[in-house]
């Protein structure tokens, strides 16, 4: 499209000819009333945040985008142009420049329409063209994780040239997350997981906290709706009491600062649901301990006032030792600057305070995007609190080097997720060069950060002049020296994988082991799994069947059984863990033992002292047969059931949807028809699973509630995952299964419980 030809506004009914392809050579002039009313909200925001922006070029970009997207709709049914417009509005609120806004309006044209990148460069210049190209994905179709990883790689390369590419991508993802409800469920989950693992941490790395918080909360609500609702419910219950306490703290701090003649704005810090949940996991504490911690923010005019306000606050309340951090003198990796302190406030409750200037606050909220508004702040970090844009973006350059080394895109994506999620320590080489490593890093991580060969040949380390074990943790400011082996056979140890923290070290060690050792690892893995099964006396042939192992391999995200064996052989997965999961997949140890009986030859049924009455089930044509309810699926009256003749154990009764029934159907001559016939003395086993946000006394609350419902608990197991979710399984006896609904409802009302349901047996 020639530079002076503007695509018509297809929303204008007078543009029928233009929409049919007749070019319009007019260009809109501002002030003459010709402005498109659709753009008014966007322009209002642009004028407020970036007064010098060229509105004419922004409108031209909108016209071109509207023309090329004219026949396209969003999944919601809205015209497609609403998406680029929303992305541009998000960016305008951040105060980005006009080139970024134009690229945002055009970011999907090259990918989704016939408009080519060359045409775009001709119409809008190379800078906007490069930004759009950076955001455009590699292909129109994506194929799973590898293509997604390649897309992230392309972003890394592009954003190391121009960080605005990533800012557009983040705004694009934010609007997509806001409208995610129109996508199918598997898509929603995939996009939400990507958002939590990649895009929200990238926003944090760039200091764009407003974007990060909203992305996290939207993805959290989409992925874990029940956990999200439970936290929202607990927050709303406690809000009135907490708000009163917060108001008291704000009034006292404001009064003290007024007396000290320090001009300040004092306000509460918003609590974001996902960050509350994350703190519960990171600090391993209950919801009340996090939510009762009140946070306030003090905004002042100058750096001098920051320290003066800190002194004033410490004069009123005692600070908590070890909780003061000065990020003004030493800014974080994402240019964040602030003073952090925790004091013992009214009623002996801790209060967290952040003290910063208004400019620092803007940068903390919008990160690198703030620099288009605050260009006068360019400088180096120092007493004035100024930070040069990109000065702390060494991480991006590091990522660029690293993505060239990693051949497998899936591996790159996994490592990127890890690298985004950890904070850093800074250590020195003997020559004084600074190297940033993940928190908890060891001398081995340091060795691989220096050079791959140094890592492979590493045999010892000296930290601050003292010899230390290779698994010891490095701290900020340590000077690290590595000893290497001269032997040609030198190589890493598998044990290093247990303690290294950096993605680079982990990748390099795995690569070294995977090259010529895959066959050996597969054999070793197969042998280890077989040994673990024999040790437990489990049916080797049944459990090692290709189908069961293949299903498990896919659950653990391995492409095939060989990859699972190799993972066990290389020490990535414990053989015992594989066996436990296999046993669980067929309904627990009892079920595995039952299978031994069930797969034996059939024998004539012997009469038993007791018939099927106690189990509440009768066998068609023979009321005097010993019947037992299978433990793998715990059937109760109302369930559809089938009977199976076992050797010496009578008829075992399974639910029709039990995982083991498929195997049993291979021997149709041993299947018998059974039906429910419960008597007054019939007792049934029921297994339920309770999922809750972990807290003290949770188990006692659940067991007390079950007892109040007059059920007899036979077994209970509780596991707490790393994400602070307690999963409890209870097996109990019930005379009347109709009572189960009341039991589940009572357990659901316990604080922190977000889900409770019946499971198909003790193995889940």
């Amino acid at each position: 499209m020639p530079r002076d030809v503007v695509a018509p506004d297809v929303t204008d009914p007078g543009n029928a000819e233009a929409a049919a392809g007749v070019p319009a050579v007019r260009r809109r002039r501002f002030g003459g009333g010709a402005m498109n009313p659709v753009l008014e909200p966007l322009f209002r925001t642009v004028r407020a945040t970036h007064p010098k922006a060229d509105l004419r070029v922004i409108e031209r970009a909108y016209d071109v985008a509207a023309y090329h997207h004219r026949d396209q709709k969003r999944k919601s049914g809205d015209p497609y142009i609403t998406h680029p417009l929303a992305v541009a509005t998000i960016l305008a609120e951040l105060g980005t420049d006009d080139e970024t806004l134009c690229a945002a309006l055009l970011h999907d044209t090259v990918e989704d329409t016939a408009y080519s990148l060359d045409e775009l460069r001709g119409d809008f210049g190379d800078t906007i063209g490069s930004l759009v190209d950076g955001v455009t994905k590699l292909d129109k179709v994506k194929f799973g994780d590898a293509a997604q990883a390649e897309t992230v790689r392309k972003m890394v390369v592009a954003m190391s040239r121009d960080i605005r590419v990533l800012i557009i991508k983040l705004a694009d993802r934010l609007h997509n997350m806001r409208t995610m409800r129109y996508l199918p469920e598997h898509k929603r989950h995939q996009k939400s997981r990507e958002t939590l693992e990649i895009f929200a941490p990238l926003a944090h790395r760039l200091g764009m906290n407003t974007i990060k918080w909203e992305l996290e909360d939207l993805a959290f609500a989409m992925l874990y709706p029940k956990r999200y609702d439970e936290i929202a419910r607990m927050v709303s219950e406690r809000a009135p009491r907490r708000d009163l306490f917060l108001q008291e703290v704000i009034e006292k701090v404001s009064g003290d600062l007024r007396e000290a003649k320090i001009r300040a704005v004092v306000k509460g810090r918003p609590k974001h649901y996902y960050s509350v949940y994350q703190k519960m996991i990171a600090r391993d504490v209950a919801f009340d301990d996090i939510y009762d911690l009140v946070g306030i923010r003090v905004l002042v005019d100058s750096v001098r006032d920051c320290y003066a306000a800190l002194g004033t606050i410490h004069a009123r309340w005692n600070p908590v030792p070890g909780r003061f951090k000065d990020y003004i003198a030493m800014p974080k990796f994402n240019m964040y600057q602030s003073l952090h302190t925790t004091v013992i406030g009214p009623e002996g409750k801790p209060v967290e305070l952040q003290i910063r200037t208004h400019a620092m606050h803007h940068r903390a909220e919008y990160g690198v995007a703030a620099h288009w508004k605050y260009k006068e702040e360019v400088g180096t970090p120092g007493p004035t609190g100024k930070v040069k844009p990109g000065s702390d973006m060494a991480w991006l350059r590091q990522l660029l080097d690293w993505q060239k080394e990693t051949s497998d895109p899936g591996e790159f994506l996994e490592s990127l997720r890890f690298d985004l999620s950890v904070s850093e320590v800074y250590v020195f080489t003997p020559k004084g060069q600074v190297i940033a490593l993940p928190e908890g890093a060891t001398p081995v991580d340091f060795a691989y950060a220096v050079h791959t060969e140094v890592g492979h040949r590493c045999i010892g380390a000296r930290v601050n002049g003292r010899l230390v074990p290779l698994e010891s943790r490095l701290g900020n400011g340590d000077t690290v020296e590595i000893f290497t082996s001269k032997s040609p056979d030198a190589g890493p140890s598998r044990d290093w994988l247990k303690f290294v923290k950096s993605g680079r070290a982990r990748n390099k060690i795995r690569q070294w082991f995977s090259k010529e050792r895959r066959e050996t690892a597969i054999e070793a893995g197969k042998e280890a799994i077989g040994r673990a099964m024999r040790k437990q006396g489990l049916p080797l042939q049944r459990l090692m069947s290709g189908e069961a192992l293949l299903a498990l391999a896919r659950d653990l995200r391995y492409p095939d059984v060989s990859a699972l064996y190799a993972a066990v052989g290389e020490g990535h997965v414990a053989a015992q863990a594989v066996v436990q999961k296999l046993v669980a997949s067929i309904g627990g140890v009892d079920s595995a033992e039952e299978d031994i009986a069930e797969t034996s030859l059939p024998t004539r049924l012997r009469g038993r002292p007791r018939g099927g009455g106690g189990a509440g089930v009768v066998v068609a044509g023979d009321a005097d047969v010993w019947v037992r309810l299978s433990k793998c699926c715990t059937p109760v009256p109302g369930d559809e059931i089938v009977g199976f003749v076992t050797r010496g154990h009578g008829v075992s009764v399974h639910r029709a949807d039990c995982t083991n029934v498929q195997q049993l159907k291979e021997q149709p001559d041993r299947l018998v028809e059974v039906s429910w016939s419960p008597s007054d003395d019939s007792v049934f086993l029921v297994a339920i699973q309770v999922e809750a946000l972990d807290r003290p006394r949770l188990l006692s609350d659940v067991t007390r509630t079950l007892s109040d419902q007059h059920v007899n608990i036979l077994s209970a197991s509780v596991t707490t995952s790393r994400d602070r979710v307690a999963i409890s399984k209870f097996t109990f006896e019930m005379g009347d299964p109709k009572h189960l609904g009341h039991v589940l409802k009572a357990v659901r009302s316990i604080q922190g419980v977000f889900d409770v349901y019946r499971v198909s047996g003790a193995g889940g």
Side-chain angles (χ1 to χ4, degrees), residues 1 7 10 62-72 106 109 112-116 119 123:
M1 188 179 293
V10 292
Y62 171 81
D63 286 342
V64 170
Y67 175 75
H68 286 285
H69 288 303
R70 65 193 180 279
D71 297 326
Q72 295 174 329
L106 297 161
T109 51
D112 295 337
T113 75
Y115 192 46
S116 73
E119 285 178 284
D123 288 343

Side-chain angles (χ1 to χ4, degrees), residues 248-259:
E248 181 190 347
V249 173
I250 289 173
E251 282 167 11
K252 287 182 176 173
V253 171
S254 301
D256 286 353
L257 294 175
R258 261 196 312 276
E259 280 178 31

Side-chain angles (χ1 to χ4, degrees), residues 20 32 126 255 259 299 324 363 395 726:
D126 284 343
E259 280 178 31
L299 303 181
F324 171 66
R363 194 162 52 236
W395 172 75

Side-chain angles (χ1 to χ4, degrees), residues 255-378:
D256 286 353
L257 294 175
R258 261 196 312 276
E259 280 178 31
K261 301 206 168 27
I262 299 169
R263 273 205 324 186
V265 176
V266 184
K267 52 188 178 182
R269 275 190 4 246
K271 288 276 183 183
H272 301 277
Y273 295 159
Y274 186 70
S275 68
V276 168
Y277 180 56
Q278 283 293 85
K279 283 177 181 167
M280 286 168 65
I281 298 167
R283 297 184 192 169
D284 199 26
V285 291
F287 172 83
D288 285 339
D289 298 327
I290 293 295
Y291 196 70
D292 285 350
L293 192 62
V294 165
I296 67 169
R297 188 171 286 142
V298 180
L299 303 181
V300 295
D301 293 338
S302 67
V303 172
R304 187 187 297 275
D305 286 347
C306 289
Y307 292 99
L310 178 74
T312 306
I313 291 161
H314 280 184
R316 172 180 277 275
W317 291 307
N318 289 332
V320 176
R323 293 299 298 271
F324 171 66
K325 301 242 175 22
D326 186 345
Y327 293 120
I328 292 179
M330 290 177 289
K332 281 191 185 180
F333 56 80
N334 56 12
M335 304 176 300
Y336 174 89
Q337 288 184 292
S338 197
L339 295 178
H340 286 199
T341 186
T342 303
V343 298
I344 302 300
E347 303 170 32
K349 290 183 181 174
V351 177
E352 286 181 340
L353 292 111
Q354 295 174 349
I355 306 165
R356 56 176 83 139
T357 66
H358 292 280
M360 287 172 194
H361 177 61
H362 192 82
R363 194 162 52 236
E365 297 290 289
Y366 303 124
V368 288
H371 285 285
W372 283 277
K373 190 172 180 193
Y374 279 89
K375 285 206 172 166
E376 67 274 9
E377 291 218 359
V378 172

Side-chain angles (χ1 to χ4, degrees), residues 6-28 34-37 59 62-64 66-67 70-71:
V6 176
D9 173 13
V10 292
T11 60
D12 182 347
N15 277 332
E17 283 188 359
V22 180
V25 292
R26 65 182 176 81
R27 296 191 56 177
R28 289 196 174 101
M35 187 179 68
N36 189 333
E59 184 169 13
Y62 171 81
D63 286 342
V64 170
Y67 175 75
R70 65 193 180 279
D71 297 326

